[in-house]
Amino acid sequence: MLNQITALFMTMRAWDILDVLVVTLFLYNLYVLIKNTRATALLKGLLLLGLFTLLAGWLQLHAVSWIMEKLMTMILVALPVVFQPELRRALEQIGRGKFYVSSPIMTEQEWTNVIDNVVDAAVEMGKKKIGALLVFERTVGLDDYIDTGIRIEGLVSEELLGNIFIVNTPLHDGAVIIRENRIMAAGCLLPLTRDRSLSSELGTRHRAAIGISEQADCVVLVVSEETGTISYTYGGHIYRHMDAETLRNRLRGFLMQGHRRGVSDVIQKWSPLKK
């Protein structure tokens, strides 16, 4: 085995190394492009189906193998349709010279500042009965919904959130989507839940908050325009009548515990592709 590996390295040329590096670079940046979209979850599902197909073949489960092979063929044909938004976005970024992107690393203090600003803004809007809808992105990216709104990409602050949701302004009725410490966009359109068992007291904002939390791994903050009540949704469930301290603790649990630093974060921070 050692001799074979040595012989393999001896036959490698400089162009072979360059070839491997280019492919590695391409795959890495392709992953960066899709990691902030729902395509990540779909790819994980495809990977699991592929592994299950291989396992069925290894165990000689002929009927199961036949079904899985046909299913995988159908899925591969449907991929361009399923990933159409991600493919379009990738081509646009390549055309604009923005193929190389990276994500910041959030510290505990930065998360605390974000949560404090959001909670303070929500409490203030609740006192004034100003309706608001704020979506915190977590592990599943929300670029598809960000594209429906007006790009802002500004740092989260109580003052900026207060200005966005001023009554009768263009962005008042849409949702704000927050990625880490940035308000990515405002005036975003969200899908409404189809749950017919919900109370009639819940208006469009609450139903949109539940709807997006059903489809993506996000936590959504809602301020009622009628009562000033602060609620949050997660996993298709709504939790109402939140006070400031309880809300802070819940957001810390959802956001800070899910964003621990790891080796991949450190590597990405010091990547030469980082702008």
Side-chain angles (χ1 to χ4, degrees):
M1 179 66 71
L2 183 59
N3 292 333
Q4 291 178 347
I5 295 174
T6 304
L8 179 62
F9 277 105
M10 291 294 292
T11 58
M12 288 186 66
R13 303 169 302 163
W15 291 114
D16 295 329
I17 298 174
L18 179 62
D19 189 21
V20 172
L21 288 176
V22 169
V23 172
T24 303
L25 208 60
F26 174 78
L27 292 177
Y28 169 75
N29 285 281
L30 184 63
Y31 164 74
V32 172
L33 281 175
I34 68 171
K35 75 171 185 176
N36 288 322
T37 69
R38 290 173 294 173
T40 307
L42 293 173
L43 286 176
K44 290 178 181 178
L46 288 174
L47 181 60
L48 289 175
L49 283 176
L51 292 175
F52 185 72
T53 302
L54 293 175
L55 180 62
W58 181 66
L59 295 176
Q60 297 185 355
L61 303 176
H62 302 296
V64 175
S65 296
W66 183 85
I67 293 173
M68 293 304 300
E69 287 175 3
K70 299 300 180 185
L71 181 62
M72 290 297 291
T73 302
M74 293 173 58
I75 291 175
L76 290 175
V77 172
L79 279 181
V81 177
V82 175
F83 291 114
Q84 186 267 340
E86 287 75 22
L87 291 172
R88 186 184 68 243
R89 184 178 300 108
L91 291 174
E92 288 176 351
Q93 291 188 0
I94 292 172
R96 296 170 185 169
K98 295 181 178 179
F99 187 69
Y100 301 109
V101 293
S102 60
S103 300
I105 297 176
M106 290 280 288
T107 65
E108 185 173 342
Q109 184 58 49
E110 287 173 327
W111 275 118
T112 300
N113 290 338
V114 169
I115 293 171
D116 287 344
N117 274 280
V118 170
V119 172
D120 291 343
V123 170
E124 189 64 26
M125 288 187 286
K127 292 177 181 177
K128 299 177 181 178
K129 293 186 178 180
I130 297 175
L133 184 57
L134 302 98
V135 183
F136 289 92
E137 184 184 81
R138 297 181 74 241
T139 58
V140 176
L142 302 175
D143 280 0
D144 294 342
Y145 302 106
I146 290 172
D147 288 344
T148 66
I150 304 299
R151 285 269 181 174
I152 295 178
E153 298 190 19
L155 291 173
V156 173
S157 69
E158 180 182 352
E159 294 77 13
L160 180 54
L161 290 171
N163 285 334
I164 289 173
F165 289 108
I166 291 176
V167 180
N168 297 326
T169 56
L171 302 179
H172 169 68
D173 286 331
V176 159
I177 296 181
I178 298 173
R179 175 180 294 162
E180 296 184 330
N181 63 344
R182 299 239 171 217
I183 299 174
M184 297 303 297
C188 300
L189 303 178
L190 304 181
L192 299 179
T193 180
R194 297 183 180 181
D195 188 350
R196 299 182 181 275
S197 64
L198 295 174
S199 170
S200 59
E201 298 178 1
L202 300 178
T204 304
R205 279 194 185 88
H206 294 84
R207 293 176 184 273
I210 297 171
I212 186 64
S213 70
E214 290 172 340
Q215 298 189 18
D217 179 35
C218 59
V219 57
V220 189
L221 197 61
V222 192
V223 181
S224 172
E225 191 171 358
E226 288 74 22
T227 64
T229 299
I230 301 174
S231 311
Y232 78 87
T233 66
Y234 179 75
H237 301 284
I238 185 167
Y239 306 88
R240 307 181 67 189
H241 305 289
M242 293 287 113
D243 60 77
E245 191 57 35
T246 302
L247 188 60
R248 279 193 178 88
N249 291 333
R250 298 290 173 84
L251 289 179
R252 288 191 189 105
F254 280 115
L255 301 174
M256 297 173 68
Q257 292 180 7
H259 291 79
R260 300 300 186 193
R261 289 192 179 197
V263 175
S264 61
D265 291 327
V266 176
I267 293 174
Q268 194 174 84
K269 179 181 179 181
W270 296 106
S271 169
L273 302 180
K274 182 178 174 64
K275 292 185 178 181

